Amino acid sequence: MHGMPTLSSKLAVLTVSAALIVTLNACGGGSSKSTASPAASSSSTTSSPNATATAARAKQDSQIRFLETRAAGDPLDVFSLNSLALQHIQRARETGDVAELGLAGEALRRSVQIRKDDNYEGVALLAGLSVTKHDFAGGLALAQQAIPQKPKEAYAYGALGDAYMGLGRYDEADAAYEKMVTIEPDLPAFGRRALLFQARGNIDEAEKSWQDAIKRAVDDGIAEHGAWANAQLANFYFTIGRLDDADSHYAKSLAIFPGYVHAFGGIARVAAANGDLPKAIDYYTRAINTVPLPEYVTALGDVYAASGDAKHAQAQYDLIAAIEQLYNANGINLDLQIGLFNADHGRDVAATVDRAKNAFAEQPSIQAADVLAWVQYKAGNFADARTAIEHALRTGSRDPLILFHAGMIYRDAGDTAKSKDYLTRLESQAPHFSVLYATVAKEALAGL
């Protein structure tokens, strides 16, 4: 066999973004030196970026065919199935194509069906993939099955922490991530810890952890990892109002991995915040032409709306239902993202309340609480909205959207002092946080 890449070198982060939430998703790595497959490198070379990307894609295609042939020829070959899943997961990271996650899941389910008790890589990867698809309870159970098989391997602790994050169990996530950092202080470990620091409002620690993550990504041989880390640091800078720093790191992300969808989306986000709507439309269009991720489709619609182009805005909003069907077909739960979209755009809000309640019951994170609070607010249920937003605020998060939602909910629930507090924090931290709501927030604060 060829040289063996670690799981961390192949899979630093499992994302369907950020910020589908976002985001949301923490990193995936940690090393498992017993998982092997010939490496498909996306590292930069002296050739042009496009030529390099084309060559890397061709190599990856060849590797996938090789592993498919091996797995088909030996019905007990879990090694090839696990390696095949890694290839599909990395391609999903690079392209944003959720169908790749479906293919990865098929390979891993076959692997675990063949061998469950002595198949750390298969079980741990399936745990990480479950978390990526927002099945946090399933991911938790699988991570707990994987860890006893190889308690000194880092990857499954990352999946364990990710599951705890999605379930709103932040102290337990902290313990899992600290275990991961102790075993292997690499890009996935520091990236995860940065996201936890952000959830707790620990800004200085979050910035340092993202910088540590970027340092670990420099020489790992996979350009997309460095692009991801820079885009994540840029997302962080955006949330605290450092737009120039955000723009700089989005540009670095694009330079490291040309055509990177999250770099395009980030550059568009900063442009919209700076009032450069034509540039925002340009870069959001580039992002969704790469892959139509729902966050960027929605954002493009919002920028069109802000520019007065209702027709093109509606065309983007109309795509969301089709995108949701595609995600559902690949086993990815978008309840939170669709709930927020419906609330923001006045779509079937009454019915969305039940959907948001169910989502929060299944994944009681601060993000789920925030979505539930906003849906309840838009439905006119101010007391219920207040209860939910207080759950979202419990960790000290400085997410500007949570601060905005809190300010508006407290205002209409009759608590002027708290409303003014949160809207003042927002105005001080990130006054250009949203093309939809920045002006609304300013006017609400002025009205208080």
Side-chain angles (χ1 to χ4, degrees), residues 76-211:
L76 301 180
D77 186 2
V78 297
F79 173 86
S80 292
L81 289 169
N82 295 339
S83 299
L84 178 61
L86 278 170
Q87 294 289 340
H88 285 302
I89 291 169
Q90 180 59 32
R91 180 169 286 183
R93 287 173 46 82
E94 294 173 357
T95 66
D97 184 355
V98 295
E100 296 289 345
L101 296 180
L103 294 171
E106 290 176 12
L108 291 172
R109 284 188 291 273
R110 286 171 58 196
S111 172
V112 171
Q113 186 175 23
I114 293 167
R115 187 193 306 163
K116 187 175 185 179
D117 294 333
D118 185 22
N119 185 7
Y120 171 83
E121 288 78 12
V123 177
L125 281 169
L126 191 56
L129 187 62
S130 297
V131 170
T132 300
K133 294 183 174 186
H134 304 171
D135 177 9
F136 299 110
L140 176 62
L142 287 162
Q144 290 171 333
Q145 292 172 24
I147 287 171
Q149 296 186 31
K150 290 189 178 181
K152 294 183 179 181
E153 293 283 356
Y155 179 82
Y157 290 103
L160 180 70
D162 296 346
Y164 282 136
M165 285 280 283
L167 294 170
R169 296 162 63 174
Y170 297 102
D171 289 345
E172 291 161 291
D174 193 358
Y177 292 160
E178 283 303 312
K179 183 73 172 179
M180 190 181 188
V181 170
T182 300
I183 294 172
E184 190 164 2
D186 58 2
L187 164 65
F190 284 112
R192 282 183 163 88
R193 196 158 67 169
L195 290 171
L196 179 58
F197 283 137
Q198 286 180 235
R200 288 174 161 173
N202 298 328
I203 298 303
D204 291 343
E205 294 90 338
E207 181 178 16
K208 184 180 183 303
S209 285
W210 281 126
Q211 291 170 343

Side-chain angles (χ1 to χ4, degrees), residues 31-74:
S31 109
S32 176
K33 296 176 177 60
S34 59
T35 295
S37 65
S41 174
S42 300
S43 59
S44 60
T45 69
T46 56
S47 59
S48 71
N50 287 340
T52 300
T54 300
R57 181 60 181 258
K59 187 174 183 179
Q60 192 177 56
D61 287 342
S62 176
Q63 179 64 12
I64 287 173
R65 289 193 297 270
F66 166 77
L67 292 168
E68 287 175 339
T69 300
R70 282 194 52 154
D74 183 352

Side-chain angles (χ1 to χ4, degrees), residues 428-440:
S428 174
Q429 173 183 311
H432 306 293
F433 74 104
S434 166
V435 72
L436 269 186
Y437 291 126
T439 299
V440 174

Side-chain angles (χ1 to χ4, degrees), residues 207-240:
E207 181 178 16
K208 184 180 183 303
S209 285
W210 281 126
Q211 291 170 343
D212 287 339
I214 288 173
K215 291 175 185 176
R216 269 66 177 185
V218 170
D219 298 317
D220 82 347
I222 300 181
E224 184 271 336
H225 290 179
W228 176 84
N230 274 278
Q232 290 295 315
L233 177 58
N235 288 344
F236 164 74
Y237 283 140
F238 187 94
T239 66
I240 59 173

